[in-house]
Amino acid sequence: MENPLLSACRPLPFSEIRAEHVVPAVRALLAEAESALAHVGPSRLGYDEILGELERGTERLELVMGVVEHLEGVATTPELRAAYNEILPDVSAFWSSIPLQENVWQALSSFAETDAARALEPTR
């Protein structure tokens, strides 16, 4: 069975998403995001190499959690609520851990001291 939460198609197939898709999809995307964060480091100093990598590495997780949260809000079932509650602590722990990861902190601290960082537009 293909997991529609891991599909890259648009529009999203909301009618095909079931509670049993949530946990495996989110766990896979958490692993993907954690792997991307492991590649952030001070040896690759640039906006795109640090913040771009963070964005690209967490984008799918963020999208899928948005879909799951939307469905939980508008079309919940006991099974969907249970799946959401199962993965929510892991997702929260992941997002909370980002600024605590030494490699990310070192990369951001080192980059902040560069002329390239000082020249960024304020929104970046």
Short mmCIF file of all heavy atoms in Angstrom, two decimals, residues 52 54 57 74-76 80:
data_model
loop_
_atom_site.label_atom_id
_atom_site.label_comp_id
_atom_site.label_asym_id
_atom_site.label_seq_id
_atom_site.Cartn_x
_atom_site.Cartn_y
_atom_site.Cartn_z
N GLY A 52 19.34 27.14 4.39
CA GLY A 52 18.69 26.46 3.27
C GLY A 52 18.59 24.96 3.51
O GLY A 52 17.57 24.34 3.23
N LEU A 54 18.53 23.49 6.44
CA LEU A 54 17.51 23.31 7.48
C LEU A 54 16.11 23.35 6.86
O LEU A 54 15.25 22.53 7.17
CB LEU A 54 17.63 24.38 8.55
CG LEU A 54 18.81 24.27 9.50
CD1 LEU A 54 18.94 25.54 10.34
CD2 LEU A 54 18.67 23.06 10.39
N GLY A 57 15.55 20.30 4.53
CA GLY A 57 15.53 19.06 5.29
C GLY A 57 14.28 18.86 6.13
O GLY A 57 13.96 17.73 6.49
N VAL A 74 -10.50 19.06 11.11
CA VAL A 74 -11.75 19.15 10.35
C VAL A 74 -12.44 17.81 10.10
O VAL A 74 -13.62 17.79 9.77
CB VAL A 74 -11.54 19.87 9.00
CG1 VAL A 74 -11.03 21.29 9.22
CG2 VAL A 74 -10.64 19.09 8.07
N ALA A 75 -11.72 16.71 10.22
CA ALA A 75 -12.31 15.41 9.89
C ALA A 75 -11.77 14.32 10.80
O ALA A 75 -11.41 13.23 10.35
CB ALA A 75 -12.03 15.07 8.43
N THR A 76 -11.70 14.60 12.08
CA THR A 76 -11.06 13.67 12.99
C THR A 76 -11.90 12.40 13.21
O THR A 76 -13.11 12.40 13.02
CB THR A 76 -10.73 14.34 14.33
OG1 THR A 76 -9.81 13.53 15.04
CG2 THR A 76 -11.97 14.58 15.17
N LEU A 80 -7.57 8.57 13.92
CA LEU A 80 -6.70 9.68 13.52
C LEU A 80 -6.19 10.41 14.75
O LEU A 80 -5.00 10.76 14.84
CB LEU A 80 -7.43 10.64 12.59
CG LEU A 80 -6.62 11.82 12.07
CD1 LEU A 80 -5.38 11.35 11.32
CD2 LEU A 80 -7.48 12.70 11.18
#
